[in-house]
Amino acid sequence: MRQTVRPAHSLRGVIVPPGDKSISHRAAILNAIAAGEAVIENFQRGADCLSTLRCLRRLGVQWEWQDASRLRLTGAGRHGLREPAAVLNCGNSGTTIRLLCGLLAAQPFFSVLTGDASLRSRPMARLIEPLREMGARIWGREDGTRAPLAIQGGALHCIHYRLPVASAQVKSALVLAGLYAEGGTVVQEPAPARDHTERMLRAMGAQVAYGEGPNVAVSPLTQEMSALSLRVPGDISAAAPFIVLGAVHPDAEIRISGVGINPTRTGILDALRMMGADVSVEEERTWGAEPVADIVVRSSQLRGAAIGGELVPRAIDELPLLALAGCFAEGETIIRDASELRVKESDRIQTTASTLRRMGAEVEERPDGLRLCGPQRLRGKALSSHGDHRLAMMAAVAGALAQGETVIHNSNVVAVSYPWFWRDLEALGKG
Ligand code: S3P
């Protein structure tokens, strides 16, 4: 499929983004090992979270849709997962494969995890090495560094481990393994990555300490966790294309309602404010263990900024959009400390630079990020999504801000995290 994007004269309207992808995965996986029934509202029905649900069904977990986004899931209990009769296909989803790998390393059966070509090329050693230190038996291609992964689950012992990279997926995998290990597991993060797993586990009754200092400490489960019904906040990563679009467009006022504003995820707001954007957070409330608000963004004059350090894990999936914002900002924008972008669904340093360059921007690609000077003019072009949902959405926003028409090929990849993205983008231009 391909999608054509043209610049709109003005952008007005309200966006309701899909449920948070990270929280939806966790709501399914954690409730799968709890006792009782959970009703999860606003569950994200993108391809990645559906991969998680399909894997869970193969592990013997029962779930059903009660309506388009309300999921009822019956927990199997902490020892209730069953050996899957077939390979578990995680599709494009890094969160599915990594969290399940940690969980399955501790289950007394054999399982195999695989995914699409992108996922099979992504690094798994970061996860397998500490899990092996806990006693896990895991094998993978290329000397245990790539999926498919074969796991012979069994008894684990605790670990005190310092993560070499800030990764919520690896942290969560080790925490899940730690729930079944002998002794207390401690994971130290170089910088805070999203803490949805920790929040949800605590709300379900597990013993997890986090939030003070760089350590997450988890004790093994001594009793069943209670099922947790919740309403999933809107995904700030799905809101981000519209936040950047509204800030850069000369005539825009966009409200994005019901967005999760967990501080480990709001780097996009901090970075844009640093760049001078008019973004406000209104009607703050709490859904389950997570803070939620409406985000209102208006046309702004942006200036360049240096984005690095602790901001990077808090804005990891939004960095391509911040590079795009930099094209329209006065002065220099530098994104650094972000070499993790090279091992996402695509090499996002390279795919961001090539997308912006194709549209006429001058962008310097660096080993750990990007540098560009603005303001620059973008011209509409035929673009590839690079098979990466975040890149497709960044290209769409670039197209809406460029001169002329932009065509995005393989545009349906947005369904990985935001199935109705094209409809929402179009509606804004008519608002
Ligand atoms: C995610 C964590 C991040 C992020 C990904 C989702 C999660 O990955 O990029 O989209 O749900 O835990 P890393 O933990 O590998 O940085």
Side-chain angles (χ1 to χ4, degrees), residues 105 124-136 138 156-164 170-171 173-174 177 185-187:
M124 297 296 154
R126 53 183 57 197
L127 168 79
I128 291 168
E129 279 167 13
L131 285 171
R132 281 185 181 151
E133 277 183 45
M134 296 176 83
I138 307 176
L156 302 180
H157 46 81
C158 63
I159 190 177
H160 285 216
Y161 189 72
R162 190 185 144 77
L163 292 173
V170 179
K171 171 175 68 168
L174 298 181
T185 290
V186 178
V187 184

Side-chain angles (χ1 to χ4, degrees), residues 21-22 26 95 98 126 166-169 194 316-317 344:
K21 183 155 79 75
S22 293
R26 287 155 172 83
T95 307
R98 295 202 175 109
R126 53 183 57 197
S167 164
Q169 292 176 351
R194 64 196 69 190
I316 190 73
D317 293 334
K344 295 294 177 187

